């Protein structure tokens, strides 16, 4: 998007919306190459689902893939058939980067968390629930709570 990325090619506004619509349609057309069943369950626009100052750092589109069977190829009238082996030996498409969204009356607003790990989720959830975090847990509590003394 012009003004957002250094090499932006799409104008904000109507052009951006049209490109997102086209990508969404193309994703929803994808079929499993072997079964013919859809491989995309849903495409979400984060700005329609989430609110706040940091929505702009989320991806433009979130793809919710179906999980019926491993996908070794996809097809659609738009792209034809693409077959490939999964680069991962596990069934999940795990990635090292992600995002975490929290909301509630006790959650600090406008906080951008940096340098945390998935191992920090369990201690953070226990802390938010008022449960002592066991000393043998890996991870640390993310600073999400509003100071109760205010």
């Amino acid at each position: 998007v012009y003004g957002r990325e250094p090499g932006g090619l799409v104008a904000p506004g109507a052009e951006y919306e049209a490109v997102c619509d086209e990508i969404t349609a193309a994703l929803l057309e994808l079929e499993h190459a072997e079964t013919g069943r859809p491989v995309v369950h849903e495409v979400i626009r984060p700005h329609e689902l989430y609110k706040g100052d940091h929505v702009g750092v989320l991806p433009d589109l979130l793809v919710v893939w179906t999980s019926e069977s491993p996908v070794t190829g996809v097809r659609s009238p738009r792209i034809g058939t693409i077959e490939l082996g999964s680069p991962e030996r596990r069934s999940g498409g795990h990635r090292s980067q992600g995002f975490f969204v929290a909301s509630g009356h006790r959650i600090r607003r406008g906080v951008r968390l940096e340098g945390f790990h998935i191992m920090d989720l369990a201690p953070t959830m226990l802390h938010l629930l008022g449960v002592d975090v066991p000393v043998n847990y890996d991870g640390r509590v993310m600073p999400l709570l509003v100071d109760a003394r205010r």
Side-chain angles (χ1 to χ4, degrees):
V1 176
Y2 294 132
R4 189 178 75 185
E5 286 89 19
L9 301 174
V10 177
E15 184 180 359
Y16 168 81
E17 294 299 327
V19 169
C20 286
D21 288 344
E22 184 176 350
I23 293 170
T24 297
L27 286 164
L28 291 171
E29 289 173 1
L30 293 176
E31 298 176 348
H32 193 289
E34 293 175 18
T35 68
R37 297 185 50 83
V39 294
V40 174
H41 173 70
E42 181 180 14
V43 180
I44 300 168
R45 295 191 185 190
H47 69 274
E48 293 175 357
L49 187 61
Y50 303 111
K51 303 293 178 222
D53 297 337
H54 301 292
V55 172
V57 300
L58 296 175
D60 296 305
L61 301 171
L62 300 174
V63 181
V64 180
W65 301 92
T66 60
S67 57
E68 293 179 16
S69 63
V71 177
T72 56
V74 295
R75 68 174 179 235
S76 79
R78 190 184 306 242
I79 65 165
T81 300
I82 300 173
E83 294 187 17
L84 61 122
S86 174
E88 307 217 14
R89 294 181 351 163
R90 299 183 293 181
S91 60
H94 299 87
R95 301 289 182 262
S96 61
Q97 299 295 316
F99 64 92
F100 175 77
V101 177
S103 178
H105 69 281
R106 295 179 53 218
I107 303 296
R108 289 173 45 211
R109 293 182 56 107
V111 175
R112 183 171 178 158
L113 301 171
E114 300 279 345
F116 288 92
H117 188 273
I118 195 164
M119 297 299 288
D120 301 321
L121 287 176
T124 300
M125 293 302 119
L126 290 173
H127 180 73
L128 290 172
L129 293 169
V131 176
D132 290 336
V133 179
V135 295
N136 64 334
Y137 267 37
D138 291 330
R140 56 194 167 132
V141 174
M142 292 183 269
L144 296 174
L145 285 180
V146 171
D147 186 350
R149 294 170 293 195
R150 290 185 185 176

mmCIF file of all heavy atoms in Angstrom, residues 86-107:
data_model
loop_
_atom_site.group_PDB
_atom_site.id
_atom_site.type_symbol
_atom_site.label_atom_id
_atom_site.label_comp_id
_atom_site.label_asym_id
_atom_site.label_seq_id
_atom_site.Cartn_x
_atom_site.Cartn_y
_atom_site.Cartn_z
ATOM 1 N N SER A 86 4.646 -30.784 1.288
ATOM 2 C CA SER A 86 4.693 -29.869 2.427
ATOM 3 C C SER A 86 6.132 -29.741 2.913
ATOM 4 O O SER A 86 6.824 -30.742 3.082
ATOM 5 C CB SER A 86 3.821 -30.386 3.561
ATOM 6 O OG SER A 86 3.978 -29.564 4.697
ATOM 7 N N PRO A 87 6.591 -28.507 3.136
ATOM 8 C CA PRO A 87 7.949 -28.339 3.652
ATOM 9 C C PRO A 87 8.067 -28.732 5.121
ATOM 10 O O PRO A 87 9.146 -28.831 5.654
ATOM 11 C CB PRO A 87 8.216 -26.844 3.464
ATOM 12 C CG PRO A 87 6.861 -26.224 3.501
ATOM 13 C CD PRO A 87 5.930 -27.242 2.898
ATOM 14 N N GLU A 88 6.932 -28.985 5.764
ATOM 15 C CA GLU A 88 6.938 -29.315 7.184
ATOM 16 C C GLU A 88 6.591 -30.784 7.364
ATOM 17 O O GLU A 88 5.735 -31.320 6.663
ATOM 18 C CB GLU A 88 5.919 -28.440 7.910
ATOM 19 C CG GLU A 88 6.126 -26.971 7.618
ATOM 20 C CD GLU A 88 5.870 -26.109 8.818
ATOM 21 O OE1 GLU A 88 5.794 -26.641 9.933
ATOM 22 O OE2 GLU A 88 5.769 -24.910 8.622
ATOM 23 N N ARG A 89 7.226 -31.405 8.327
ATOM 24 C CA ARG A 89 6.938 -32.807 8.600
ATOM 25 C C ARG A 89 5.730 -32.946 9.521
ATOM 26 O O ARG A 89 5.140 -33.986 9.619
ATOM 27 C CB ARG A 89 8.143 -33.496 9.204
ATOM 28 C CG ARG A 89 9.272 -33.560 8.212
ATOM 29 C CD ARG A 89 10.512 -34.229 8.684
ATOM 30 N NE ARG A 89 10.560 -34.543 10.083
ATOM 31 C CZ ARG A 89 11.385 -35.390 10.623
ATOM 32 N NH1 ARG A 89 12.245 -36.021 9.888
ATOM 33 N NH2 ARG A 89 11.382 -35.618 11.914
ATOM 34 N N ARG A 90 5.383 -31.857 10.223
ATOM 35 C CA ARG A 90 4.216 -31.903 11.093
ATOM 36 C C ARG A 90 2.979 -31.472 10.304
ATOM 37 O O ARG A 90 3.085 -30.824 9.274
ATOM 38 C CB ARG A 90 4.409 -30.960 12.289
ATOM 39 C CG ARG A 90 5.602 -31.364 13.133
ATOM 40 C CD ARG A 90 5.744 -30.495 14.317
ATOM 41 N NE ARG A 90 6.104 -29.140 13.916
ATOM 42 C CZ ARG A 90 6.308 -28.159 14.763
ATOM 43 N NH1 ARG A 90 6.163 -28.357 16.047
ATOM 44 N NH2 ARG A 90 6.635 -26.972 14.338
ATOM 45 N N SER A 91 1.813 -31.788 10.830
ATOM 46 C CA SER A 91 0.582 -31.475 10.116
ATOM 47 C C SER A 91 0.207 -29.999 10.191
ATOM 48 O O SER A 91 -0.533 -29.508 9.365
ATOM 49 C CB SER A 91 -0.571 -32.324 10.665
ATOM 50 O OG SER A 91 -0.751 -32.036 12.040
ATOM 51 N N GLY A 92 0.681 -29.273 11.186
ATOM 52 C CA GLY A 92 0.325 -27.868 11.340
ATOM 53 C C GLY A 92 1.272 -26.970 10.587
ATOM 54 O O GLY A 92 2.436 -27.288 10.382
ATOM 55 N N GLY A 93 0.793 -25.827 10.135
ATOM 56 C CA GLY A 93 1.629 -24.865 9.431
ATOM 57 C C GLY A 93 2.204 -23.860 10.410
ATOM 58 O O GLY A 93 1.783 -22.713 10.437
ATOM 59 N N HIS A 94 3.127 -24.278 11.224
ATOM 60 C CA HIS A 94 3.671 -23.426 12.279
ATOM 61 C C HIS A 94 4.643 -22.393 11.718
ATOM 62 O O HIS A 94 5.398 -22.671 10.805
ATOM 63 C CB HIS A 94 4.374 -24.287 13.331
ATOM 64 C CG HIS A 94 3.450 -25.249 13.982
ATOM 65 N ND1 HIS A 94 3.191 -26.491 13.446
ATOM 66 C CD2 HIS A 94 2.691 -25.151 15.094
ATOM 67 C CE1 HIS A 94 2.330 -27.123 14.221
ATOM 68 N NE2 HIS A 94 2.013 -26.336 15.218
ATOM 69 N N ARG A 95 4.608 -21.222 12.301
ATOM 70 C CA ARG A 95 5.490 -20.129 11.907
ATOM 71 C C ARG A 95 6.104 -19.522 13.158
ATOM 72 O O ARG A 95 5.515 -19.561 14.230
ATOM 73 C CB ARG A 95 4.717 -19.032 11.151
ATOM 74 C CG ARG A 95 4.033 -19.522 9.894
ATOM 75 C CD ARG A 95 5.075 -19.828 8.815
ATOM 76 N NE ARG A 95 4.464 -20.260 7.587
ATOM 77 C CZ ARG A 95 4.339 -21.526 7.226
ATOM 78 N NH1 ARG A 95 4.773 -22.483 7.993
ATOM 79 N NH2 ARG A 95 3.781 -21.833 6.079
ATOM 80 N N SER A 96 7.262 -18.920 13.007
ATOM 81 C CA SER A 96 7.933 -18.346 14.172
ATOM 82 C C SER A 96 7.341 -17.010 14.596
ATOM 83 O O SER A 96 7.519 -16.591 15.727
ATOM 84 C CB SER A 96 9.428 -18.180 13.891
ATOM 85 O OG SER A 96 9.613 -17.301 12.799
ATOM 86 N N GLN A 97 6.637 -16.331 13.714
ATOM 87 C CA GLN A 97 6.055 -15.040 14.042
ATOM 88 C C GLN A 97 4.538 -15.165 14.150
ATOM 89 O O GLN A 97 3.922 -15.936 13.440
ATOM 90 C CB GLN A 97 6.397 -13.998 12.974
ATOM 91 C CG GLN A 97 7.876 -13.757 12.822
ATOM 92 C CD GLN A 97 8.483 -13.139 14.065
ATOM 93 O OE1 GLN A 97 7.934 -12.235 14.656
ATOM 94 N NE2 GLN A 97 9.628 -13.663 14.478
ATOM 95 N N GLY A 98 3.949 -14.372 15.015
ATOM 96 C CA GLY A 98 2.501 -14.384 15.169
ATOM 97 C C GLY A 98 2.053 -13.109 15.838
ATOM 98 O O GLY A 98 2.840 -12.186 16.037
ATOM 99 N N PHE A 99 0.797 -13.059 16.188
ATOM 100 C CA PHE A 99 0.298 -11.899 16.911
ATOM 101 C C PHE A 99 -0.634 -12.368 18.012
ATOM 102 O O PHE A 99 -1.180 -13.455 17.982
ATOM 103 C CB PHE A 99 -0.369 -10.881 15.983
ATOM 104 C CG PHE A 99 -1.611 -11.382 15.296
ATOM 105 C CD1 PHE A 99 -2.861 -11.188 15.863
ATOM 106 C CD2 PHE A 99 -1.530 -12.022 14.080
ATOM 107 C CE1 PHE A 99 -4.004 -11.635 15.240
ATOM 108 C CE2 PHE A 99 -2.664 -12.470 13.434
ATOM 109 C CZ PHE A 99 -3.911 -12.281 14.019
ATOM 110 N N PHE A 100 -0.787 -11.523 18.994
ATOM 111 C CA PHE A 100 -1.594 -11.828 20.168
ATOM 112 C C PHE A 100 -2.482 -10.625 20.424
ATOM 113 O O PHE A 100 -2.000 -9.492 20.443
ATOM 114 C CB PHE A 100 -0.658 -12.088 21.359
ATOM 115 C CG PHE A 100 -1.370 -12.303 22.663
ATOM 116 C CD1 PHE A 100 -1.981 -13.511 22.940
ATOM 117 C CD2 PHE A 100 -1.410 -11.300 23.614
ATOM 118 C CE1 PHE A 100 -2.630 -13.714 24.147
ATOM 119 C CE2 PHE A 100 -2.054 -11.499 24.830
ATOM 120 C CZ PHE A 100 -2.667 -12.710 25.097
ATOM 121 N N VAL A 101 -3.769 -10.857 20.594
ATOM 122 C CA VAL A 101 -4.713 -9.780 20.847
ATOM 123 C C VAL A 101 -5.437 -10.090 22.145
ATOM 124 O O VAL A 101 -5.893 -11.214 22.355
ATOM 125 C CB VAL A 101 -5.740 -9.652 19.693
ATOM 126 C CG1 VAL A 101 -6.753 -8.578 19.991
ATOM 127 C CG2 VAL A 101 -5.035 -9.385 18.374
ATOM 128 N N ALA A 102 -5.530 -9.102 23.030
ATOM 129 C CA ALA A 102 -6.248 -9.269 24.296
ATOM 130 C C ALA A 102 -7.132 -8.055 24.515
ATOM 131 O O ALA A 102 -6.783 -6.937 24.134
ATOM 132 C CB ALA A 102 -5.260 -9.422 25.455
ATOM 133 N N SER A 103 -8.269 -8.288 25.137
ATOM 134 C CA SER A 103 -9.198 -7.201 25.392
ATOM 135 C C SER A 103 -9.954 -7.492 26.673
ATOM 136 O O SER A 103 -10.210 -8.646 27.007
ATOM 137 C CB SER A 103 -10.177 -7.074 24.222
ATOM 138 O OG SER A 103 -11.109 -6.057 24.462
ATOM 139 N N GLY A 104 -10.295 -6.447 27.392
ATOM 140 C CA GLY A 104 -11.071 -6.599 28.621
ATOM 141 C C GLY A 104 -10.853 -5.417 29.532
ATOM 142 O O GLY A 104 -9.950 -4.605 29.328
ATOM 143 N N HIS A 105 -11.691 -5.324 30.547
ATOM 144 C CA HIS A 105 -11.609 -4.152 31.429
ATOM 145 C C HIS A 105 -10.319 -4.117 32.249
ATOM 146 O O HIS A 105 -9.920 -3.060 32.704
ATOM 147 C CB HIS A 105 -12.841 -4.071 32.333
ATOM 148 C CG HIS A 105 -12.921 -5.151 33.369
ATOM 149 N ND1 HIS A 105 -13.342 -6.431 33.085
ATOM 150 C CD2 HIS A 105 -12.602 -5.132 34.682
ATOM 151 C CE1 HIS A 105 -13.297 -7.155 34.182
ATOM 152 N NE2 HIS A 105 -12.849 -6.399 35.163
ATOM 153 N N ARG A 106 -9.651 -5.232 32.427
ATOM 154 C CA ARG A 106 -8.392 -5.250 33.181
ATOM 155 C C ARG A 106 -7.162 -5.216 32.291
ATOM 156 O O ARG A 106 -6.043 -5.233 32.783
ATOM 157 C CB ARG A 106 -8.351 -6.498 34.065
ATOM 158 C CG ARG A 106 -9.423 -6.507 35.143
ATOM 159 C CD ARG A 106 -9.404 -7.753 35.992
ATOM 160 N NE ARG A 106 -8.091 -7.992 36.543
ATOM 161 C CZ ARG A 106 -7.559 -9.212 36.674
ATOM 162 N NH1 ARG A 106 -8.224 -10.274 36.290
ATOM 163 N NH2 ARG A 106 -6.367 -9.365 37.193
ATOM 164 N N ILE A 107 -7.361 -5.187 30.976
ATOM 165 C CA ILE A 107 -6.239 -5.213 30.029
ATOM 166 C C ILE A 107 -5.833 -3.787 29.679
ATOM 167 O O ILE A 107 -6.670 -2.950 29.354
ATOM 168 C CB ILE A 107 -6.628 -5.973 28.742
ATOM 169 C CG1 ILE A 107 -7.100 -7.394 29.055
ATOM 170 C CG2 ILE A 107 -5.479 -5.981 27.746
ATOM 171 C CD1 ILE A 107 -6.047 -8.293 29.660
#
